[in-house]
Amino acid sequence: MDPALLRERELFKKRALSQPTVEKRPAASESGGSKKKKSKADKEASGSKHGADTSNGNFNLKALTGSSGYKFGCLAKIVNYMKTRHQRGDTHHLTVEEILDETKLLDIGMKQKQWLMTEALASNPKIEVRDGKYAFKPKYHLKDKKALLRLLDKHDQLGLGGLLLDDVEEGLPNSAKALKVLGDQIIFVTRPDKKKILFYNDKHCQFTVDEEFTKLWRSIPVDSMDEEKIEDYLKRQGISSMQETGPKKVLPIKRKKPGGQKKRRFKTHNDHLAGVLEDYSEGVPAKK
């Protein structure tokens, strides 16, 4: 190698050593902050992963709602399913195993299964138990549209009013089709709370009234009479009025205001010695 180049190399090394450089290291706070940010990011990622699982329906109902919530959730699902199958026309009874199979509750434990058999389904007002099997129990057992028409006619004859559409749909299989076929044989009336009532349309009562009787009927004022007076008058004449089927108004409960403290009464003793005992509270009385 050329000796001139070697000399220049040595001189370069000496200059480099004579000029020290300071290396910048990352601060401890920055490294800690980056770790915290990383841990938070990991948590958010794991949370989003769990959220994605729940949005897809892959979640554990027991872990989310607890044991009691899981039990009552299963019960609600079973009752709704039994109602739906009854409305389809499937009115035959099922065993608990068949119910769990059709509702796809196959992962239920033995403890919850025993609870359903001995307590939940047996005491539920919407479930009928027969020979260890279960079926839906509607308010009105209606097999077909003829049974509905007979029930409406009976209510009309006895003055019991109409039937709630919700109760009819609950107890009559394929109710929408049956109501459509009945047509003008029934009358729909909507209550103030938007619930619909079904009445029997008695066509024998559809007759023309003489105009003289119509004028006489309308000439009698009843504005000054309240419903109680009208009902009392009808009862005296031996006529029963139709009972109201609308929702009852709940009166507000009046709470008693806290009054002043009552004076305590102390029980007196030794009443039988009232004439014998003497009072020495003011000192001993002087002897006479």
Side-chain angles (χ1 to χ4, degrees):
M1 185 179 290
D2 191 358
L5 293 174
L6 290 173
R7 283 196 301 270
E8 287 181 6
R9 182 167 174 258
E10 293 297 330
L11 291 172
F12 177 75
K13 284 183 178 182
K14 289 179 181 179
R15 285 197 303 268
L17 292 174
S18 63
Q19 295 177 359
T21 58
V22 179
E23 183 181 358
K24 291 184 178 180
R25 295 182 181 180
S29 59
E30 291 180 1
S31 61
S34 61
K35 288 181 180 179
K36 289 180 181 178
K37 289 180 181 179
K38 187 177 180 181
S39 62
K40 287 182 180 179
D42 293 340
K43 287 180 181 178
E44 290 176 359
S46 61
S48 62
K49 184 178 179 182
H50 289 299
D53 291 341
T54 55
S55 63
N56 293 330
N58 301 324
F59 57 88
N60 190 352
L61 187 61
K62 293 181 183 179
L64 289 177
T65 59
S67 59
S68 60
Y70 176 71
K71 286 197 303 184
F72 288 103
C74 293
L75 176 61
K77 185 175 181 180
I78 289 172
V79 174
N80 289 332
Y81 172 75
M82 299 297 281
K83 177 181 176 180
T84 303
R85 68 183 293 273
H86 181 89
Q87 292 172 336
R88 290 200 309 260
D90 299 333
T91 57
H92 61 278
H93 290 62
L94 298 176
T95 62
V96 174
E97 288 77 12
E98 290 172 336
I99 293 172
L100 295 177
D101 182 45
E102 293 187 13
T103 54
K104 294 181 173 54
L105 293 172
L106 301 175
D107 60 337
I108 193 170
M110 196 64 194
K111 189 176 180 181
Q112 285 83 4
K113 183 178 176 182
Q114 191 68 22
W115 174 75
L116 287 172
M117 295 173 62
T118 57
E119 297 181 35
L121 294 177
S123 61
N124 195 291
K126 289 296 182 181
I127 297 296
E128 182 183 51
V129 186
R130 185 188 299 171
D131 299 330
K133 294 185 177 182
Y134 306 89
F136 184 71
K137 184 181 179 182
K139 186 175 182 178
Y140 304 109
H141 287 277
L142 304 170
K143 292 183 179 180
D144 50 21
K145 60 181 184 295
K146 292 181 180 179
L148 172 61
L149 208 58
R150 285 196 297 269
L151 182 62
L152 287 171
D153 187 15
K154 180 181 177 181
H155 273 240
D156 182 63
Q157 296 295 330
L158 298 177
L160 300 176
L163 303 177
L164 271 171
L165 178 61
D166 294 341
D167 294 337
V168 173
E169 290 176 340
E170 183 182 80
L172 179 62
N174 304 312
S175 59
K177 184 179 179 181
L179 294 174
K180 187 176 181 181
V181 172
L182 289 174
D184 62 346
Q185 297 183 65
I186 56 177
I187 300 173
F188 289 90
V189 176
T190 305
R191 289 193 325 200
D193 60 350
K194 306 300 181 182
K195 288 185 178 292
K196 291 187 176 181
I197 311 295
L198 271 66
F199 291 92
Y200 178 69
N201 187 12
D202 191 356
K203 296 184 179 180
H204 295 287
C205 298
Q206 295 178 0
F207 53 88
T208 56
V209 181
D210 192 83
E211 188 177 354
E212 183 180 353
F213 288 103
T214 305
K215 291 180 179 179
L216 183 63
W217 172 268
R218 292 176 179 174
S219 64
I220 301 174
V222 292
D223 296 336
S224 59
M225 300 179 65
D226 55 10
E227 293 184 2
E228 292 182 1
K229 291 181 180 179
I230 295 174
E231 189 172 355
D232 292 339
Y233 176 78
L234 292 175
K235 285 181 179 179
R236 288 197 299 271
Q237 302 300 321
I239 303 172
S240 60
S241 60
M242 183 178 293
Q243 299 298 321
E244 185 181 357
T245 58
K248 296 181 180 179
K249 294 182 179 180
V250 180
L251 297 175
I253 300 173
K254 295 182 179 179
R255 296 182 179 179
K256 294 182 179 179
K257 296 181 179 180
Q261 294 183 354
K262 295 182 179 180
K263 295 182 179 179
R264 296 180 63 185
R265 294 181 179 178
F266 297 96
K267 188 176 180 181
T268 57
H269 302 281
N270 301 328
D271 293 335
H272 60 288
L273 299 174
V276 180
L277 298 176
E278 295 182 5
D279 187 8
Y280 291 96
S281 59
E282 297 180 359
V284 181
K287 291 183 180 181
K288 296 179 181 179

